[in-house]
Amino acid sequence: MLNKITSIIIALIGLAMLFMGAKLLLVGGSPFYAVMALGLIATAVTLYLNKRIALSLYAVLMWIVLVWIIYEVGFDKWQWIPRGDLIGVIGLWLAMPWVVRPLFRASGAGERRFHPFLGGTVAVMIALVIGLCFYDPYPQDGTMTNARNASSADVAENNWTAYGGTTNGLRFSKLNQINKDNASNLEVAWTYHTGDLRESTDATEYTFEATPLKVNNALYFCTPHNEVHALDPQTGALKWKYVPEKDRSYLQQHQTCRGVSYYDGSTAQQTESNPAPAACTRRIFNATTDAKLVALDADTGKPCADFGTNGVVDLHDNMGTIRPHALMQTAAPLVAGKLVILGGSVMDNGYNTGNPSGVIRAFDAVTGRLVWNFDPANPENTQPIAAGQTFPQDTPVAWATLSADLKNGLVYVPFGNASPDEVGTQRDPQSNTEKFRDTLVALDLNTGAFKWRFQSSKHDLWDRDNPSQPSLLDIDYQGKKQPVVILPTKTGNLFVLNRLTGEPVYPINQQKVSTEGGITGENFSPTQPVSALNFIPDPLSEKAMWGITPFDQMACRIDFKSLRYDGNPWTPATEGGSIVFPGNIGVFNWGSVAIDPERQILIASPVRLAYKYNLIKRTPQTEEERLFTKENSPYWNENFQGTYAIHIQQLSSDLGIPCIAPPWGRMVGVDLTTGKTEWMRRVGTTKNLNTTFLPGRFPIGFPMGMVAHGGPLVTAGDVVFHGATADNFFRAYDINTGKLLWQTELPAGGQATPATYLGSDNKQYVVIAAGGHGSLGTKGGDAVVAYRLK
């Protein structure tokens, strides 16, 4: 009776596989699942008839499947899972004595409990799987041998005075008390809870991404609701906090604050026209999600009354009519000299027209007076705009933190796209707006005058904003020292440019891309720039599709064969659906990279995820109607009054698992003197994942390589610190090899970039915010955790 039930179950599995396999065949996919299904059905029929040959048939099927697996994916154990897990489980069951014995009895072969062919096959398969547990073909082993030499770069030392350590944006510290030999001895020094937690009325993308500053013998950071907290750096005890009024709304696209900035009026250069402030000598600046620039006394937390209006400059000024939640600030402003400089963020694809300007504004750090403005629509006119005038709307925005070369008097602005991001039918290719889209721009620090520009993506139709703070240093590339700026991009390019001229230092090729298809009236750039240093993912193929069973893998294969995909990152969005890889989360995002300028080593954590882009034609009846709801994300991609809305979702199975095989997150070490990637490894595990196919969070940490949203930190102790992964862990690595030195589980998701500093107790601390990321689904919280050596 047991074998009858087993045969019926195998038959049902086979029929379901045959149905899906036939669908895959009809879209031009692999025939193998149909073959596998026929083998299952043949096994089921012969088993139902109590024929011993059922076991031999199944053993043959297992060997055929094994050969096919190796042919498709080699010995990558994670890609064996969807191809072989179900077949292996059925084989193990069929090899059990309670299945074997009745079949031998029925054939008159006596009392046998073991089938040599099937049993031997299962034993070989088990041995293979056990062996694969100790083998991973993906990591690239190597060792950095760069010597440590003096560097002219302005880098963090005992303090962490700016978002990226200093205005150079290197995320590097000269501290070396914690080093690769003792990092395994780190322990929690203190934990602080902000009390600023997400509520049901808050945005989905509610994220605690702040990088704390350590300066003025205090630790400063902001929370998602733009509270500013100042702590004792050695104990985590609260010194003061500033709590603004909270405007909770699920329509806020980003409820986050990535950092505050510090200004010291006692050390800034003073002139007769720019005297030191009478009060509020040391200031903390916070740019808020409701578009305000707030100046606080760094010693007390009280608003600086002489700045703007009672400590606040309203960034809505001169911006014209702004719809609710359409203008926001998420990045730390740049403090350079006596200026506070910032761009802004707008709602992606919210409206076809009438989106806030992407103007860059520089304010006097003492008075809040507008000193200069760089408007992408009018780049020649940087004089402060007159009262009552407005900046032109619908221009590219720069939502990341800017960088500054104080010695050469330059500020670097990583402009992104202009909304609507994925539809370009109404763009004027000759306009300034198009020229500054996805463009790194160098400006005169004191006047805002244009110096040079470099466009990282042409006629962007994929939301390829330049999301990262640029990094500034000098490198000895191919034996020649050059001052460079390094720009990470969503596509995966790392453009290395002379920071004084904008000329490429690393070679850049123009890759030809398709200009066919897409929506009516769309124009495509025939080429796109590709840097010699890049982490653009390898093109996808049907066999690159993944899952945890053959069924969700087949569903992903059907999707892959049904959607448009040109084999490169520049596949246009279509009404029928397209695969965009990498998608709008990008290979690099706001976490940027970390660079040791003394050894000229770059550390990055590139992501590889594919997305489905569907353009939805708006008819006159739906121009003002909402197509997306809070439950039908993305509810902010409406593009009201436009010709198309856009639906973007990760290319994943119904189980919520990415359709592309892991790793989804990596860490790499690059020698900047040669441009060679010396090592690469998976980063992050499956532990704590918020899964749809299992209740709660996944309890086991398989080291597949997980998405990392946040940046690394490197130190002169040859240690890389990195949180950011979707498993809530904080880790330390050896910069020379990528070897894991230490890890600890955080109280919530660590989607933030850490900082390090020396306390007054002469101990080095490493600190990270752990509050989770709403869109990634990591555990929410409100913790800031500091670590030091035992």
Side-chain angles (χ1 to χ4, degrees):
M1 184 62 184
L2 181 62
N3 280 359
K4 298 287 187 188
I5 295 172
T6 299
S7 67
I8 291 170
I9 292 172
I10 294 173
L12 291 173
I13 293 172
L15 289 170
M17 189 176 291
L18 184 61
F19 173 74
M20 289 194 71
K23 287 180 66 176
L24 179 58
L25 265 173
L26 288 173
V27 295
S30 171
F32 192 82
Y33 291 91
V35 173
M36 194 188 305
L38 293 174
L40 286 168
I41 292 169
T43 300
V45 170
T46 50
L47 182 62
Y48 189 86
L49 296 174
N50 222 20
K51 301 293 185 181
R52 196 174 66 194
I53 195 173
L55 305 185
S56 296
L57 275 173
Y58 199 81
V60 170
L61 177 63
M62 290 185 74
W63 282 105
I64 292 172
V65 170
L66 177 64
V67 171
W68 170 68
I69 289 174
I70 295 172
Y71 165 74
E72 280 215 324
V73 297
F75 293 93
D76 184 346
K77 56 180 172 287
W78 305 119
Q79 297 204 56
W80 280 42
I81 291 171
R83 294 167 172 86
D85 55 1
L86 185 59
I87 295 297
V89 168
I90 293 173
L92 181 63
W93 176 263
L94 292 178
M96 291 294 105
W98 50 81
V99 175
V100 174
R101 186 168 48 223
L103 296 177
F104 274 93
R105 280 181 189 162
S107 63
E111 193 74 16
R112 299 280 298 274
R113 297 162 56 91
F114 180 75
H115 189 275
F117 187 19
L118 179 59
T121 297
V122 169
V124 169
M125 303 301 177
I126 291 174
L128 268 173
V129 170
I130 292 173
L132 286 178
C133 290
F134 300 95
Y135 172 72
D136 187 351
Y138 188 81
Q140 173 185 323
D141 292 330
T143 302
M144 293 285 186
T145 59
N146 308 39
R148 186 170 298 285
N149 297 305
S151 166
S152 61
D154 178 25
V155 298
E157 299 191 40
N158 292 349
N159 290 328
W160 194 266
T161 60
Y163 174 70
T166 66
T167 62
N168 284 344
L170 293 173
R171 279 157 284 281
F172 169 79
S173 169
K174 285 182 70 72
L175 296 178
N176 60 8
Q177 187 179 106
I178 301 169
N179 57 57
K180 62 184 178 61
D181 298 319
N182 62 20
S184 60
N185 294 323
L186 286 166
E187 66 176 2
V188 174
W190 52 259
T191 301
Y192 174 79
H193 291 279
T194 69
D196 188 14
L197 292 164
R198 181 177 185 266
E199 296 183 3
S200 59
T201 51
D202 276 315
T204 300
E205 183 131 327
Y206 182 94
T207 59
F208 191 16
E209 298 172 346
T211 297
L213 304 187
K214 189 270 181 176
V215 65
N216 192 37
N217 197 30
L219 200 72
Y220 302 99
F221 60 89
C222 52
T223 71
H225 283 114
N226 295 111
E227 295 182 9
V228 180
H229 295 232
L231 309 182
D232 182 288
Q234 292 72 237
T235 66
L238 179 67
K239 289 191 169 187
W240 58 257
K241 68 178 177 179
Y242 168 80
V243 182
E245 184 178 347
K246 294 180 174 65
D247 179 19
R248 301 180 189 268
S249 172
Y250 78 89
L251 290 174
Q252 183 79 41
Q253 189 172 7
H254 303 283
Q255 189 69 58
T256 191
C257 178
R258 297 192 182 102
V260 296
S261 300
Y262 177 75
Y263 169 77
D264 189 344
S266 65
T267 60
Q269 184 178 359
Q270 310 301 327
T271 65
E272 191 172 321
S273 60
N274 284 297
C280 244
T281 304
R282 290 169 289 274
R283 303 180 176 209
I284 293 295
F285 288 98
N286 186 28
T288 69
T289 52
D290 58 353
K292 293 182 176 64
L293 179 61
V294 181
L296 305 173
D297 189 313
D299 297 319
T300 66
K302 295 180 179 179
C304 297
D306 57 349
F307 182 84
T309 302
N310 297 320
V312 177
V313 167
D314 191 340
L315 299 174
H316 294 85
D317 291 347
N318 303 107
M319 299 292 270
T321 302
I322 297 180
R323 302 177 179 100
H325 310 296
L327 179 65
M328 65 201 92
Q329 296 286 334
T330 57
L334 171 71
V335 171
K338 290 201 68 176
L339 297 177
V340 185
I341 311 171
L342 73 173
S345 182
V346 303
M347 190 179 292
D348 287 347
N349 298 297
Y351 293 87
N352 186 59
T353 58
N355 300 291
S357 167
V359 62
I360 306 301
R361 288 177 280 188
F363 297 94
D364 185 289
V366 176
T367 66
R369 173 181 59 89
L370 183 63
V371 176
W372 58 256
N373 40 239
F374 181 84
D375 172 15
N378 299 295
E380 300 83 10
N381 184 12
T382 61
Q383 292 297 313
I385 193 169
Q389 293 186 350
T390 58
F391 297 106
Q393 296 181 320
D394 303 310
T395 54
V397 298
W399 52 264
T401 296
L402 316 184
S403 301
D405 180 341
L406 299 179
K407 178 182 177 182
N408 291 297
L410 293 172
V411 59
Y412 299 90
V413 180
F415 277 110
N417 209 337
S419 186
D421 298 59
E422 290 85 9
V423 181
T425 54
Q426 298 179 23
R427 298 179 190 172
D428 177 2
Q430 302 305 316
S431 69
N432 284 325
T433 293
E434 190 70 2
K435 292 175 184 176
F436 285 99
R437 195 183 299 270
D438 292 353
T439 299
L440 178 65
V441 177
L443 305 176
D444 183 284
L445 175 60
N446 297 309
T447 67
F450 172 79
K451 293 296 184 180
W452 57 258
R453 66 183 179 89
F454 171 80
Q455 194 162 40
S456 61
S457 183
K458 300 177 183 178
H459 194 67
D460 181 6
L461 299 170
W462 307 274
D463 190 16
R464 293 276 160 75
D465 297 336
N466 288 318
S468 301
Q469 181 183 29
S471 299
L472 315 179
L473 75 157
D474 294 348
I475 64 171
D476 298 292
Y477 180 59
Q478 296 184 341
K480 181 182 178 182
K481 184 175 286 294
Q482 294 200 51
V484 301
V485 53
I486 298 179
L487 178 70
T489 70
K490 285 188 177 181
T491 310
N493 281 308
L494 286 161
F495 291 108
V496 184
L497 311 171
N498 184 302
R499 69 174 183 268
L500 303 182
T501 67
E503 293 298 314
V505 174
Y506 281 31
I508 297 172
N509 295 317
Q510 297 297 325
Q511 180 174 328
K512 291 184 178 180
V513 296
S514 174
T515 59
E516 303 297 325
I519 57 176
T520 302
E522 190 63 88
N523 295 306
F524 305 100
S525 171
T527 62
Q528 292 289 345
V530 175
S531 172
L533 177 58
N534 74 78
F535 293 94
I536 299 173
D538 292 335
L540 294 176
S541 62
E542 183 197 333
K543 66 183 181 182
M545 296 299 101
W546 199 69
I548 59 171
T549 71
F551 296 103
D552 56 319
Q553 191 196 37
M554 276 190 286
C556 287
R557 284 181 182 246
I558 291 168
D559 255 0
F560 178 81
K561 299 299 290 188
S562 303
L563 299 166
R564 175 170 174 173
Y565 177 60
D566 292 352
N568 61 53
W570 302 282
T571 303
T574 60
E575 291 184 72
S578 299
I579 295 174
V580 177
F581 179 57
N584 65 335
I585 193 175
V587 174
F588 299 108
N589 208 282
W590 54 266
S592 196
V593 298
I595 301 174
D596 181 337
E598 298 175 349
R599 297 187 63 194
Q600 299 184 41
I601 295 172
L602 179 146
I603 301 297
S605 50
V607 169
R608 52 185 303 277
L609 281 178
Y611 282 74
K612 289 195 289 189
Y613 284 36
N614 285 84
L615 290 173
I616 302 172
K617 191 170 182 61
R618 280 192 167 277
T619 64
Q621 289 75 28
T622 65
E623 276 190 356
E624 301 294 337
E625 294 176 8
R626 183 168 290 282
L627 297 176
F628 304 122
T629 66
K630 186 178 180 181
E631 294 71 32
N632 181 23
S633 182
Y635 49 85
W636 50 73
N637 285 347
E638 293 285 352
N639 194 12
F640 286 121
Q641 302 168 0
T643 50
Y644 288 90
I646 184 156
H647 189 268
I648 300 175
Q649 59 182 339
Q650 189 184 127
L651 182 64
S652 59
S653 70
D654 290 339
L655 298 178
I657 296 170
C659 277
I660 67 169
W664 306 301
R666 303 164 286 170
M667 182 172 284
V668 296
V670 178
D671 180 349
L672 288 173
T673 66
T674 63
K676 181 183 176 184
T677 300
E678 293 290 350
W679 54 261
M680 180 184 297
R681 57 165 293 128
R682 300 176 191 261
V683 60
T685 73
T686 56
K687 190 176 182 186
N688 298 317
L689 289 188
N690 192 2
T691 58
T692 56
F693 60 94
L694 286 175
R697 296 187 178 273
F698 198 73
I700 304 171
F702 295 120
M704 289 182 175
M706 307 308 295
V707 174
H709 213 43
L713 158 72
V714 297
T715 73
D718 290 335
V719 180
V720 179
F721 290 100
H722 188 241
T725 49
D727 57 5
N728 302 348
F729 275 76
F730 187 36
R731 297 180 172 92
Y733 302 90
D734 184 339
I735 197 174
N736 297 302
T737 63
K739 176 187 175 183
L740 180 66
L741 302 173
W742 167 85
Q743 63 180 345
T744 185
E745 191 168 348
L746 294 165
Q751 281 67 58
T753 303
T756 188
Y757 58 88
L758 194 71
S760 59
D761 55 4
N762 205 36
K763 294 180 180 179
Q764 183 182 352
Y765 292 77
V766 181
V767 62
I768 188 170
H773 191 291
S775 296
L776 290 183
T778 53
K779 182 180 178 182
D782 65 340
V784 178
V785 188
Y787 299 88
R788 66 186 173 205
L789 293 173
K790 296 177 183 177

